[in-house]
Amino acid sequence: MRRLRVGILDLVSNGPAHGMYSRLMNANLASIMPQVIGVWCEEAGHDVRLVCYTGFENLDDELPSDTDLLFIGAFSESAQLAYAISNRYRQRGVVTVLGGPHARCYPEDAVNYFDYVLGFTDKALLNDVLGECMPHRPVGVAVSAARQPVELPGVQARWKFIAQTLEKAPTIKIIPMLASLGCPYTCSFCIDSTVDYQTLGADQIRDDLRFLLTKMKRPRIGWHDPNFGVRFDETLGAIEDAVPPGRVDFIAESSLSLLSEARLPRLQKNGFKALLPGIESWFSLNNKSRSGKLDGMEKVRQVSDHVNMVLRHVPYVQTNFVLGLDCDEGPEPFELTKRFLDLTPGAFPGYSLLSAFGRAAPLNLEFQRAGRVLPFPHHFLNNNLAMNVKPKNYSWSGFYERVVDLTQYTFSWPAIAKRAIANKSTIPRMMNVVRAVSSEGFGRMAYYQRVRELLDRDRTVREYFDGESDALPGFYTDRVRHDLGPFWNDLPRGGLRHDQNAYAHAEATQELSTIGVRTVAPAPAPALAN
Ligand code: SF4
């Protein structure tokens, strides 16, 4: 096999970044899979340059000019940036590959801008791509392994890439780790609900933690598991074997149902400093929050008691909600969330607007078949900048009105002060204040107000939201242009548009086979046409 010069770009920003918070935190958002690709490429004998793009780098300085193959890992919100970068490098003769959530969610669109689009990626699939490494244009090939890999290189194997990325994080440095993939729960809107749950092995957790203790005085680890602690005793046992209490801090996303009273002291003892349970709605998904048949105010009280109990053991808790679910109707869901905030002042609420990310979840097929998905450019699909599913039980104006009201309530000065008083530790208190007054709190509040006004005043916005026009309103085009900065000129023609119903169309026409499981022909076999 030819020795390739491989570039790997992990996009954690959707364009050039400016703010202080981005400089402090973006490098901590690095994904694991680009680092895994780097390890596997080196094992296959290739030269690798991995860049975590935090929004502050000049890519022409960072990536060697003689790159043969460029992998880009991206979430959908970075898709337009990824398309622009791919276009720039393809014009220089580089073969480009897209991986990550956007590739899994929107392969039909991404093949227009990349030579390869990877779904589930294991070592064999990667080696096929490396072996072939040839342009596929104008339409690339979408390939996927049958399932997630059963093992992944751990921290020790990825250390070179982790260390160079953490150098960009000036103060707080978070090491990305995985104990499991997939989730046994079946939340219909979630990309992980259809991925088989599997653990990655207690031995690897032990080895990685022991290794990290030789590298850092007090490592801070962010578990990237979709739902940490499903095999609670096995995972905590591995941590206890390897880490003396107090030597490592952990952050994890975990269902409330896994955070029982009996488990919390153990998490506390082992250094869990931040937990992010999903509540989602007061009227459904009760299995995640252990609220049985309760709903409405009864569920609020029960979940609030539970979260307050978690806060007695873990200093930082973010509770996640999805706004606009089909089970929600009228003012009650929003008012109940306000009551929850009153009863649980120490928790920071994270709100997501219901979004359908292409093929991510089975529910999206229903939305697409019902004509409820709007063609917002991927750039806006970060759960906040746009809700691309028409709400079932709200008008757009009525929905945004309630979202504005809820965010104003959440990020009012009395609420910020109450949260600060309820947080006993310094870092959680500061984090919550900074998040509230930054683009996340005040910024989103102003943005939602602006959208609400435009729905009244700008006919193009109203028609776009109502599905009467697919011409993107100037407000949104200007926003992408602004966010992409110098990359805007590299965005290929048509790169802002996509078929928002591609998943349903492929299912209806059996075109799924062109996107489904297949292998790339290894050289010197002839290339597969798509
Ligand atoms: S519990 Fe969390 S990770 Fe699991 S399916 Fe539901 S939303 Fe996804």
Side-chain angles (χ1 to χ4, degrees):
M1 192 189 292
R2 175 163 71 103
R3 187 182 180 101
L4 298 170
R5 288 165 299 261
V6 177
I8 301 174
L9 263 184
D10 178 9
L11 299 184
V12 300
S13 177
N14 63 3
H18 310 283
M20 178 61 78
Y21 190 76
S22 300
R23 199 171 277 282
L24 287 177
M25 292 306 290
N26 277 3
N28 291 314
L29 304 177
S31 295
I32 290 176
M33 209 54 200
Q35 299 169 359
V36 167
I37 297 287
V39 172
W40 285 343
C41 286
E42 286 191 342
E43 284 174 2
H46 304 289
D47 297 320
V48 173
R49 171 77 179 128
L50 183 145
V51 178
C52 175
Y53 178 73
T54 63
F56 295 95
E57 297 80 2
N58 180 340
L59 291 185
D60 288 337
D61 292 344
E62 300 272 340
L63 287 171
S65 57
D66 55 358
T67 299
D68 298 304
L69 185 64
L70 179 62
F71 285 87
I72 301 181
F75 285 80
S76 284
E77 64 177 309
S78 298
Q80 269 67 45
L81 176 63
Y83 292 177
I85 294 172
S86 176
N87 186 33
R88 183 185 286 185
Y89 281 87
R90 283 171 113 186
Q91 287 180 19
R92 296 175 185 173
V94 179
V95 173
T96 63
V97 187
L98 180 71
H102 186 66
R104 271 179 62 199
C105 295
Y106 292 99
E108 294 89 349
D109 193 58
V111 289
N112 296 310
Y113 308 102
F114 286 84
D115 297 297
Y116 300 91
V117 176
L118 308 186
F120 290 147
T121 304
D122 58 15
K123 203 169 176 177
L125 181 83
L126 177 73
N127 284 335
D128 285 348
V129 172
L130 292 168
E132 186 187 83
C133 185
M134 63 182 297
H136 289 274
R137 301 170 194 173
V139 181
V141 291
V143 288
S144 177
R147 48 167 295 160
Q148 295 272 37
V150 289
E151 53 184 24
L152 292 171
V155 170
Q156 192 159 357
R158 293 185 281 115
W159 181 248
K160 157 175 143 182
F161 302 123
I162 294 172
Q164 70 173 55
T165 300
L166 289 183
E167 276 175 23
K168 299 180 182 186
T171 51
I172 297 173
K173 296 177 189 285
I174 301 174
I175 297 118
M177 275 186 73
L178 263 178
S180 65
L181 295 168
C183 181
Y185 289 81
T186 53
C187 308
S188 54
F189 55 83
C190 174
I191 191 168
D192 291 297
S193 64
T194 55
V195 178
D196 294 341
Y197 177 78
Q198 61 168 9
T199 57
L200 290 169
D203 286 344
Q204 181 163 312
I205 296 175
R206 283 187 202 96
D207 290 348
D208 281 346
L209 292 172
R210 286 185 183 125
F211 169 79
L212 270 176
L213 287 171
T214 68
K215 293 290 178 189
M216 301 174 95
K217 197 156 171 242
R218 191 186 176 99
R220 195 174 270 134
I221 290 167
W223 292 104
H224 282 213
D225 304 47
N227 198 355
F228 178 83
V230 171
R231 297 259 174 87
F232 189 84
D233 289 330
E234 182 183 320
T235 310
L236 266 286
I239 291 172
E240 285 159 350
D241 287 347
V243 181
R247 281 294 312 278
V248 179
D249 292 337
F250 295 105
I251 301 166
E253 198 158 338
S254 203
S255 297
L256 222 40
S257 57
L258 299 173
L259 304 174
S260 64
E261 187 165 11
R263 290 174 172 178
L264 290 168
R266 197 167 169 195
L267 289 171
Q268 180 176 14
K269 180 171 152 245
N270 284 294
F272 278 74
K273 293 291 191 286
L275 291 171
L276 293 81
I279 296 169
E280 326 304 4
S281 163
W282 301 116
F283 294 98
S284 69
L285 301 158
N286 287 11
N287 57 337
K288 289 182 68 183
S289 53
R290 275 195 151 190
S291 36
K293 291 201 168 74
L294 298 182
D295 63 12
M297 194 60 208
E298 282 183 309
K299 181 173 173 183
V300 171
R301 284 200 198 90
Q302 196 254 2
V303 171
S304 172
D305 287 348
H306 194 156
V307 173
N308 282 327
M309 179 176 71
V310 176
L311 277 162
R312 289 196 282 278
H313 297 275
V314 176
Y316 195 90
V317 175
Q318 174 180 312
T319 47
N320 293 329
F321 300 89
V322 180
L323 306 181
L325 286 165
D326 283 2
C327 58
D328 289 342
E329 194 171 358
E332 202 179 356
F334 296 87
E335 294 304 316
L336 289 172
T337 304
K338 290 188 199 171
R339 298 294 75 76
F340 174 79
L341 300 184
D342 297 339
L343 294 169
T344 331
F348 188 94
Y351 302 125
S352 294
L353 307 186
L354 177 64
S355 304
F357 292 87
R359 288 174 174 268
L363 185 63
N364 298 353
L365 255 189
E366 286 176 36
F367 289 145
Q368 292 186 14
R369 284 175 178 151
R372 289 177 57 192
V373 181
L374 297 178
F376 275 108
H378 307 111
H379 187 80
F380 297 97
L381 301 186
N382 65 350
N383 293 312
N384 291 291
L385 288 177
M387 169 157 157
N388 71 340
V389 182
K390 287 184 200 163
K392 184 177 173 199
N393 299 315
Y394 298 92
S395 67
W396 279 117
S397 302
F399 178 74
Y400 269 94
E401 200 140 322
R402 296 189 196 291
V403 172
V404 168
D405 179 59
L406 179 61
T407 46
Q408 281 176 338
Y409 191 87
T410 305
F411 302 116
S412 66
W413 282 111
I416 293 170
K418 219 171 147 191
R419 209 172 292 128
I421 292 165
N423 297 136
K424 303 297 175 216
S425 312
T426 309
I427 293 179
R429 183 179 292 153
M430 278 173 44
M431 280 289 288
N432 281 342
V433 172
V434 170
R435 290 180 74 182
V437 302
S438 69
S439 57
E440 186 172 358
F442 287 4
R444 277 186 203 157
M445 199 160 75
Y447 181 83
Y448 294 144
Q449 274 174 321
R450 181 83 181 116
V451 173
R452 172 68 192 89
E453 284 164 17
L454 289 171
L455 282 165
D456 276 349
R457 292 196 197 145
D458 187 329
R459 189 173 48 83
T460 64
V461 170
R462 163 67 72 182
E463 289 176 354
Y464 191 79
F465 273 74
D466 287 341
E468 292 164 5
S469 164
D470 62 359
L472 188 67
F475 171 73
Y476 290 101
T477 312
D478 291 347
R479 174 87 188 216
V480 188
R481 186 186 293 117
H482 172 267
D483 290 350
L484 288 185
F487 293 104
W488 172 258
N489 293 331
D490 295 305
L491 186 66
R493 184 184 287 270
L496 276 185
R497 299 174 72 90
H498 69 281
D499 175 2
Q500 77 272 30
N501 299 318
Y503 185 13
H505 290 154
E507 290 281 302
T509 58
Q510 300 297 306
E511 283 175 6
L512 186 64
S513 56
T514 62
I515 304 292
V517 178
R518 56 187 292 193
T519 47
V520 176
L528 294 174
N530 193 29

